[in-house]
Amino acid sequence: MERIKRIIEKKLDDNPDVRVVTVNVFGVVLVPRVGDLSSALFRLGLQLQAQGLLDDDVSWFVRARIRAEDRARQNFAGMPVSLVEIYRELWDEHHDWDVAPETLEKAELDVQRELIVPVPGIDEMLSLVRRKGRKLVFISDTHLPEAFLRERLADFGLLVGEDGFYSCPPRGQQRHVSAACFSEIASQHGITLESMLHVGSHPVADDHTPRRLGMHALHFTEAWLNRYERELEAGRWASNGVSSYLAGAARLSRLHHSNGGLPNAYLQVLTGVAAPLLVSFVAWTLRMAQQNGLERLYFLSREGEVLFELARILARRMNLDVQLHYLYVSRPAVNKVLLKDPTPENLAWALTHTGSLSLRSILNRVDLDPEDLADKLVRAGFDQSQWDERLNDQEWFALLDILAQPDVSGLLSRKAQSSRGAAMGYLEAAGIFDDVAIGFVDTAGTGSQMRALHMLRRRRTDRDCVGF
């Protein structure tokens, strides 16, 4: 938003003849929490179902409502198309649906009232226009009633004082602000079109058309869905509108953090890919935990921390009764607990992800120093000068063979005893061995920590756990 503010400030400073700034409400001032305004119809359909007013599936209602709007535009060629007229078209097509158009209009407005929010930072841009002494006029080019939009703008503190509002509802197939609307606004304020600056998001209606008329124009694209958000929005039919909420949330988060100093490409991936992925994974995990009758979920550190925080929010929103815990574990701490029985398999798991380490660092993972095995290492070809150098794959497996020797296995078991006691004590205090159904949540790796926790729980309780 800072970029837009700078551009508008320069335009107003460079063009003192500009007396009126018109701003398109949707796409500049207000946006829905969903990706596209029409996706709010999924929420409406679900509410109608809950109230017993809709027997068919939600996607049927959304498609029927969109078709009704298209027919209304065709039938009212050259005339404004209101929301109630759209629902009359829907009612005319489905006479057996005993719900009055006025009832549906009110229901949709209630949903829109809940979903429509300001573009983050837009209040600062509007305040700048007012400080520059220009008249601010909001333009609406949707079928939503003028009184409803005035109310929302006022509620958010965006329509204040001497600000104007001009309703330019869709007429027939025309869906955006028309040249006639700009001319009428200029006439109302007793100015020429050259004395107006328009800010809008549509490339033709909000940019090309006003420029053709001699107006100043600023094409505002910040609130457009980017490519990641469009992918989420495209999945709305398959997800009953859920992915559209993710698209809307990604857009709002991106806009909110746009002045935070993050590179734009990074911010887009963070809000449009990473966040929806993690939210979806956590929501799925919680649902699966409920289906499996789990009483507790443990999120493994460190990557599990953000998942844990998400789960705390989503579990409340989803009304799920499951205990959530953050478990402070790591591969070095947990995997070597199994070395009470240092089989080659357990050794390999204990040394997971150590292939890029030196011999000394690898042995430290299992509480050993090279000096403890000096003779064996030298006989196997590990000269002392190599102990602090990175091992290759062949050397890693040769080291594993040394650790699997019976006398070394005994040393491993004794060395790990103290750390094993501390780890088992922590796991017991955390409730891992309680007689309840539990699950573990992690993000990546080879699953060595889950394997270790599962085996330790089975040894103590003979009960399994579920891994996500």
Side-chain angles (χ1 to χ4, degrees):
M1 197 57 68
E2 285 296 325
R3 184 184 74 87
I4 295 298
K5 282 173 56 182
R6 289 194 298 270
I7 293 174
I8 287 184
E9 185 169 24
K10 187 174 188 311
K11 278 184 174 290
L12 295 179
D13 289 343
D14 292 346
N15 298 279
D17 57 312
V18 170
R19 295 170 54 189
V20 173
V21 176
T22 56
V23 182
N24 205 326
V25 173
F26 277 99
V28 178
V29 182
L30 301 177
V31 290
R33 294 183 188 272
V34 287
D36 186 83
L37 195 61
S38 64
S39 291
L41 298 173
F42 287 96
R43 179 65 169 268
L44 174 57
L46 289 171
Q47 290 190 2
L48 293 174
Q49 274 189 338
Q51 297 167 12
L53 299 177
L54 179 63
D55 296 328
D56 294 284
D57 62 78
V58 171
S59 62
W60 170 88
F61 166 75
V62 177
R63 294 180 192 277
R65 158 66 175 76
I66 292 174
R67 288 197 305 269
E69 180 173 347
D70 290 337
R71 288 196 307 275
R73 293 183 186 281
Q74 293 172 3
N75 295 340
F76 288 85
M79 299 291 291
V81 179
S82 69
L83 189 58
V84 72
E85 286 161 348
I86 292 172
Y87 278 112
R88 283 174 184 153
E89 282 291 331
L90 180 61
W91 190 85
D92 286 343
E93 185 181 22
H94 304 280
H95 295 290
D96 56 335
W97 194 18
D98 190 22
V99 184
E102 290 76 15
T103 300
L104 293 171
E105 178 194 34
K106 181 181 182 303
E108 178 168 336
L109 290 178
D110 288 342
V111 168
Q112 299 286 11
R113 183 176 289 107
E114 179 185 351
L115 293 182
I116 292 172
V117 294
V119 169
I122 195 62
D123 54 334
E124 298 177 11
M125 190 197 84
L126 300 177
S127 297
L128 170 65
V129 173
R130 299 185 189 104
R131 288 198 306 272
K132 292 292 183 179
R134 270 47 171 216
K135 174 76 172 180
L136 187 61
V137 178
F138 295 93
I139 299 181
S140 166
D141 58 358
T142 75
H143 53 256
L144 295 175
E146 178 179 339
F148 170 82
L149 291 173
R150 282 179 173 272
E151 169 201 300
R152 300 312 292 142
L153 290 170
D155 287 345
F156 293 127
L158 302 174
L159 179 64
V160 299
E162 299 299 317
D163 293 346
F165 187 99
Y166 185 82
S167 182
C168 185
R171 294 174 179 267
Q173 298 303 306
Q174 171 257 321
R175 295 171 180 261
H176 302 284
V177 181
S178 66
C181 296
F182 292 124
S183 297
E184 189 168 335
I185 293 172
S187 176
Q188 287 180 355
H189 290 85
I191 60 175
T192 63
L193 288 167
E194 290 77 7
S195 299
M196 292 171 57
L197 165 65
H198 179 64
V199 183
S201 61
H202 193 271
V204 176
D206 294 317
D207 189 46
H208 176 73
T209 296
R211 290 181 190 278
R212 178 173 56 81
L213 295 173
M215 298 169 57
H216 302 274
L218 173 59
H219 190 202
F220 182 94
T221 61
E222 264 71 1
W224 275 14
L225 298 180
N226 63 30
R227 61 176 176 142
Y228 304 118
E229 294 156 4
R230 289 196 300 271
E231 287 291 331
L232 290 168
E233 180 63 22
R236 64 179 186 167
W237 296 107
S239 65
N240 242 10
V242 172
S243 68
S244 185
Y245 275 92
L246 293 174
R251 169 172 54 196
L252 287 172
S253 182
R254 169 174 56 81
L255 292 170
H256 179 76
H257 293 285
S258 62
N259 298 329
L262 291 173
N264 187 53
Y266 179 85
L267 180 61
Q268 289 193 30
V269 172
L270 187 67
T271 58
V273 180
L277 172 65
L278 296 183
V279 168
S280 300
F281 171 67
V282 172
W284 171 82
T285 297
L286 292 172
R287 285 294 185 202
M288 293 301 295
Q290 182 185 45
Q291 291 178 23
N292 283 275
L294 302 186
E295 299 173 59
R296 292 181 194 162
L297 277 179
Y298 291 91
F299 293 80
L300 309 189
S301 62
R302 294 162 297 181
E303 295 91 332
E305 183 176 5
V306 66
L307 304 182
F308 173 64
E309 295 300 334
L310 284 171
R312 294 172 67 183
I313 297 170
L314 291 175
R316 291 195 300 268
R317 300 288 182 90
M318 298 165 70
N319 295 317
L320 299 181
D321 185 20
V322 57
Q323 299 174 34
L324 305 174
H325 300 272
Y326 185 57
L327 196 64
Y328 290 92
V329 291
S330 66
R331 285 187 295 270
V334 174
N335 292 358
K336 67 183 177 185
V337 175
L338 293 173
L339 294 183
K340 182 178 181 181
D341 176 26
T343 64
E345 183 185 20
N346 285 343
L347 278 167
W349 279 103
L351 298 179
T352 297
H353 296 311
T354 60
S356 62
L357 302 180
S358 68
L359 183 146
R360 185 180 298 279
S361 297
I362 294 173
L363 290 178
N364 286 341
R365 281 285 185 95
V366 289
D367 298 323
L368 291 177
D369 292 312
E371 290 75 13
D372 298 327
L373 310 172
D375 293 341
K376 291 180 179 293
L377 291 173
V378 171
R379 285 198 301 270
F382 292 102
D383 186 82
Q384 187 172 355
S385 62
Q386 300 175 279
W387 291 357
D388 292 300
E389 296 178 359
R390 175 179 174 176
L391 300 186
N392 59 39
D393 290 347
Q394 184 178 354
E395 291 169 337
W396 189 89
F397 283 107
L399 178 61
L400 200 65
D401 289 338
I402 295 174
L403 296 177
Q405 295 176 11
D407 55 336
V408 180
S409 295
L411 178 62
L412 276 173
S413 182
R414 291 191 299 275
K415 285 278 189 177
Q417 186 171 355
S418 61
S419 58
R420 183 165 58 245
M424 292 296 285
Y426 169 70
L427 295 176
E428 184 166 16
I432 300 301
F433 307 126
D434 291 352
D435 188 24
V436 296
I438 69 172
F440 296 113
V441 185
D442 203 0
T443 59
T446 58
S448 64
Q449 289 186 89
M450 281 199 183
R451 173 185 179 272
L453 292 168
H454 175 74
M455 293 182 69
L456 292 170
R457 176 172 161 85
R458 286 213 64 181
R459 288 180 179 181
R460 179 69 71 87
T461 68
D462 200 33
R463 293 197 61 166
D464 288 328
C465 58
V466 179
F468 299 97

